[in-house]
Structure formats: C-alpha cells, structure tokens
C-alpha cells in the first residue's frame, strides 16, 4: 500500500508521499514498525435506508505523528468531507490525499457513507498506516480493520460458507436482513473447504476431525477389517483379518471384493465389456454389450464385438403395445384386431370405446374399466373374459371390466422385459397362436 511516507526513487518520491493508493495491505512497502489499532465508527450507529452517515476512522499513532488510509465500501456509496485530506477513487473507494497528523495519540479521518435505498447489510474495510515521518518506509506499521453492520433492520449474523455444507467460518461474518448467498446461518465449521467436515458430521476413519469437536477418529467402534491385497478399498473374505477402529494399511472394512488381485474389480466399479464381472454382482458385461435391431428384433451381441450381434426375425404385428415387425412403429397394422375393433394402448376394444383406465383395487387386484355402453358378450366388446381364460391372440381381451384376482396382468409388462426375454415371450405367443387360431 503506497501511503504517506512511501519511499520510492527520487524523481516520483514527493508525489508518492502525498497520495494514497487502493491496495489491500501496506506490508509490501511499509514495515519494521508496530501494528496500530484501527477503529471504525458510524454516526448515527444504526443507519436508515438511503441515509448519509459519517464514518470515522481512528488509526493509533504508535510509530510517529502521521498516518494514511484506504477505505472501501462493499455496498452503498462513499463521499469525501472537506478538510479531511482524502479523495475518491470511485463511489466505493477512498484514499488519503495527503498525510494527516495525529492528535490525541491517533490519526483521524472522516468520510460520508450513503446507505442503499433498500434494507440490507454493509461492510466497510480499512487499511491504515501509522508512519514515523522520516521519509522512508522502515519503521512504519500497517494494519487493517472492517465494520460489518445492517441498515433498515436489526440484522442477523451470517457466516461465510465456502464449501456449502450449511456451517460457516466463525471468523468471517456479515450482518444482513436476510441470508446472503454463500453464507450460512450457523458457524463453527473447523474446515470450511471440506463439505464433509462440520459440526454434527459423522466421524469416520480418516485422521480428520470430521465433527469439529477437537478430537480425531473418536468414539469409533472396534470392527473387523479384511485384507485388501489390490488396494482398491475392498477386502476379501478369504484373506487375513484384524480387529481395529480404523483399517490398517492393506486392510479394508468390507469383505465383498470378488477379485482381490484386480484393483479395477470391486462392488462399486463400472461394468465394461471385457468378459469380466467388474462390479462383483455375479454377472459379466451385463447391459454393456453391443445391441442391434429395434423393437422385438433387438438382440445383445454374444461377445463385445458389434459384428457378433445378429438381430432377431420380425413377426406379424399384433395388438400388444410392442413393435413385433421391427419397423419402429407399434400396433400400426389395420388388421391387428377383429373386425369392429381397434387397437388402443395394446388392447383390442370396440370402435368408439374410450381407452381402458387401470386402477388398483383394495385387494391389490388390477381393474380395467371401460365406458358405459361397452357391456356385452365377452370377446365382443362387453364383459370380462372368464377367469383363467388366456388373452385372445392378437391381444383382444374384450371390453367391460376385467379383474385379475392374482394382480395386474403380466402382458403389458412385456414392454419392460429385455430383448432376449421378449423374444422368448414372442415365440411362446406364436406357439399359442398355432394352438388357438385367430377367429
């Protein structure tokens, strides 16, 4: 901070001594002296929105008879007062224009601060210097202070929360009428750069004071830890064990590693197509092998090579909310239902009948309800099929109200099955169609 008595090269020295600069700290240029106390006062002490108040800064004259300052307002506006030896840099920054002499053991500066028109919180920051007046930078002492206050309300203290864990740094606070962004209503965070460290956090084995109570890894139970040969954090049931609060090197708290020689194989690993059970769930390459074909022709490759994937054969389209002929469309053919019926939501219903609405009965049975006027003979748009009667080939179940006492009908769930299971279901349906010809 270049304040009064800043020593520079001979040519610009006089100018530097008479003008302050907007720098957050004077240590780079002034040193060797005692650090002064700095106080900041407002008059009136509780500003109203839009009110202009007097800011008074006192810098303790511990090193000599002169001093200087840099004043910054985070909100509101600053203005100079005649005779104070200060000048504005902009509406939010003010510096000394000439060194000011001490009186009564302190150097005093005054300025105006104008509050914003709406209630809120404000921060005034001061960097000050107590100088010895010898024309050099040695023997001068810099210091800093800030005043946090609210205007237009009583104000609530909030704490800077850098890691967003809901607990802030108790050493960095602000007063405001409502909670500002990046601040928390609770303080006490002993490490505001780690989101898992804060008061009330669970203590875990990591040699860190997770719950900010001044203790490390306290109150942890002694448990069994399992040998972890590959160092992936998952132990093997077949290795050595040890009883301890925290797992020693080479051990892990779990015993569910299915290959303790491969660090990339463990229960939380991502499954990749490599013929290996990467995530220890008893299956290899599930959900990651190449898939070819669409609709009910979709198939999974037999290996990780896409060339090994062969789509299934399409079949005739039927009313079942599935793409049987593998053309990217569902139930699109006009003849998927008997004459006088249309395919709606995977079921054949009479023309003009509203789509069935499925609700859950109190007993857990699935209830499908048609509209009034759809009652009639089962299979022709009215009434339910007899209990135990399989669905008609083509998906026709008739209209009216059908209750499956064993729960929801499994046929609509075909849309959720894997391509391989769907293919098996289709072959079964073909066999049923051969046994029960379509009327």
């Amino acid at each position: 901070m270049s304040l009064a008595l800043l020593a520079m090269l001979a040519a610009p020295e006089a100018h530097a001594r008479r003008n302050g600069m907007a720098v957050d700290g004077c240590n780079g240029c002034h040193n060797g002296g005692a650090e002064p106390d700095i106080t900041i006062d407002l008059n009136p002490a509780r500003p109203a929105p839009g009110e202009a108040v007097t800011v008074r800064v006192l810098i303790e004259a511990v090193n000599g008879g002169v001093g200087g300052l840099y004043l910054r307002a985070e909100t509101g506006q600053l203005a100079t007062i005649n005779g104070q030896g200060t000048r504005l840099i902009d509406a939010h920054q003010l510096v000394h224009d000439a060194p000011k002499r001490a009186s009564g053991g302190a150097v005093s500066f005054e300025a105006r601060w104008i509050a914003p028109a709406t209630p809120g919180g404000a921060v005034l920051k001061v960097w000050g210097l107590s100088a010895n007046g010898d024309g050099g930078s040695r023997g001068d002492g810099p210091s800093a202070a800030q005043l946090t206050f609210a205007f237009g309300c009583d104000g609530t203290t909030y704490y800077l929360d850098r890691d967003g864990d809901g607990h802030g740094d108790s050493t960095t606070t602000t007063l405001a009428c409502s909670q500002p962004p990046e601040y928390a209503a609770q303080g006490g965070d002993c490490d505001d750069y780690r989101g898992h460290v804060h008061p009330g956090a669970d203590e875990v084995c990591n040699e860190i004071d997770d719950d900010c109570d001044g203790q490390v890894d306290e109150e942890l139970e002694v448990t069994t830890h399992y040998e972890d040969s590959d160092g992936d954090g998952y132990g093997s049931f077949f290795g050595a064990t040890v009883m301890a609060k925290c797992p020693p090197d080479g051990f892990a708290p779990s015993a569910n590693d299915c290959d303790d020689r491969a660090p990339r194989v463990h229960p939380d690993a991502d499954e990749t197509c490599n013929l290996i059970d990467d995530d220890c769930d008893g299956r290899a390459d599930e959900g990651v092998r190449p898939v070819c074909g669409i609709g009910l022709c979709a198939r999974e490759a037999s290996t990780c090579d896409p060339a090994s994937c062969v789509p299934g054969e399409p079949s005739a389209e039927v009313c079942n909310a599935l793409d049987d002929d593998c053309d990217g469309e569902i139930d699109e053919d006009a003849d998927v239902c008997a004459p006088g019926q249309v395919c709606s939501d995977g079921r054949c219903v009479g023309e003009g009948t509203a789509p069935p609405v499925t609700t859950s009965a109190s007993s857990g049975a699935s209830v499908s309800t048609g509209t009034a006027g759809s009652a009639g003979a089962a299979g022709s748009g009215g009434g339910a099929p007899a209990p135990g009667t399989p669905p008609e080939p083509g998906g026709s179940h008739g209209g009216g109200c059908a209750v499956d006492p064993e729960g929801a009908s499994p046929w609509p769930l075909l849309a959720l099955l894997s391509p391989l299971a769907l293919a098996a279901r289709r072959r079964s349906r073909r066999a049923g169609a051969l046994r029960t010809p379509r009327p």
Side-chain angles (χ1 to χ4, degrees):
M1 178 177 183
S2 179
L3 295 168
L5 310 178
L6 174 63
M8 302 182 82
L9 296 176
E13 184 175 315
H15 176 75
R17 289 177 181 175
R18 293 198 54 83
N19 292 283
M21 296 179 64
V23 179
D24 294 359
C26 313
N27 304 66
C29 300
H30 299 270
N31 53 70
E35 183 176 299
D37 288 334
I38 298 177
T39 60
I40 312 171
D41 295 313
L42 295 181
N43 186 18
R46 296 172 63 88
E51 183 177 8
V53 299
T54 300
V55 180
R56 188 185 187 200
V57 178
L58 290 179
I59 303 171
E60 185 184 14
V62 293
N63 298 305
V66 294
L69 91 166
Y70 164 47
L71 173 63
R72 186 169 72 203
E74 301 294 320
T75 56
Q77 296 185 0
L78 292 172
T80 59
I81 296 177
N82 291 336
Q84 293 298 310
T86 58
R87 63 183 174 87
L88 286 174
I89 296 175
D90 56 35
H92 304 287
Q93 302 179 88
L94 177 148
V95 296
H96 71 277
D97 190 48
K100 194 169 185 182
R101 293 193 175 279
S103 175
V107 180
S108 173
F109 290 94
E110 291 187 352
R112 290 271 190 264
W113 179 76
I114 300 119
T118 57
V123 178
L124 295 176
K125 294 184 178 181
V126 170
W127 289 267
L129 180 72
S130 171
N132 59 18
D134 66 356
S137 61
R138 296 288 299 172
D140 300 337
S143 188
Q146 76 174 36
L147 177 65
T148 302
F149 58 97
F151 55 94
C153 68
D154 291 337
T156 301
T157 300
Y158 296 98
Y159 306 87
L160 181 62
D161 185 10
R162 301 177 185 89
D163 55 16
D165 60 7
H167 293 77
D169 182 353
S170 296
T171 65
T172 307
T173 63
T174 189
L175 274 175
C177 300
S178 59
Q179 185 170 334
E182 300 182 358
Y183 279 79
Q186 303 179 79
D189 200 334
C190 54
D191 188 341
D192 205 33
Y193 294 93
R194 293 178 175 176
H196 67 277
V197 176
H198 56 78
D202 293 331
E203 194 73 26
V204 296
C205 287
N206 54 11
E207 299 183 357
I208 294 174
D209 180 12
D210 302 279
D211 55 5
C212 297
D213 65 351
Q215 303 179 68
V216 175
D217 297 344
E218 78 282 1
E219 299 180 0
L220 296 175
E221 295 183 3
V222 175
T223 58
T224 303
H225 301 281
Y226 303 85
E227 186 175 9
D228 179 16
S229 299
D230 56 13
D232 60 5
Y234 300 83
S236 171
F237 182 79
F238 302 100
T241 61
V242 64
M243 299 295 293
K245 282 188 175 182
C246 299
D249 290 342
F251 286 81
S254 64
N256 52 355
D257 197 336
C258 55
D259 187 348
D260 205 31
R261 299 165 298 175
R264 294 185 179 181
V265 175
H266 54 76
D268 288 328
D270 293 328
E271 191 72 24
T272 59
C273 198
N274 54 10
L275 304 180
I276 295 174
D277 178 14
D278 302 282
D279 56 5
C280 297
D281 65 350
R283 300 174 295 168
D285 301 342
E286 72 278 5
V288 295
R289 287 193 182 182
V291 175
C292 59
I294 60 174
L296 288 182
C297 297
R299 295 292 186 275
E300 189 178 68
S302 59
T303 69
C304 295
D305 183 1
S308 68
C309 188
V310 179
E313 293 294 329
S315 60
E317 193 73 18
V318 296
C319 182
N320 56 4
L322 299 174
D323 180 13
D324 303 276
D325 55 6
C326 309
D327 63 353
E329 299 183 56
I330 295 174
D331 301 341
E332 74 277 8
D333 294 343
D335 60 350
V336 294
C337 292
Q341 293 187 322
V342 294
C343 184
S344 177
D345 291 335
R347 302 185 66 177
C348 290
V349 298
E351 291 189 33
T353 303
V357 177
T358 300
T359 60
S360 178
S362 59
S363 63
S366 175
V367 181
S368 298
T369 307
T371 59
S374 62
S380 62
T389 302
E392 295 181 13
S396 177
H397 292 261
C401 177
V403 179
D404 178 1
E406 297 299 323
S409 171
W411 294 95
L413 296 179
L414 288 175
L416 302 178
L417 298 178
S418 68
L420 296 178
L422 290 174
R425 180 71 70 181
R426 190 187 66 238
R427 288 194 296 271
S428 175
R429 188 174 62 248
R430 283 181 177 176
L434 292 175
R435 292 191 298 268
T436 308
R438 179 181 297 180

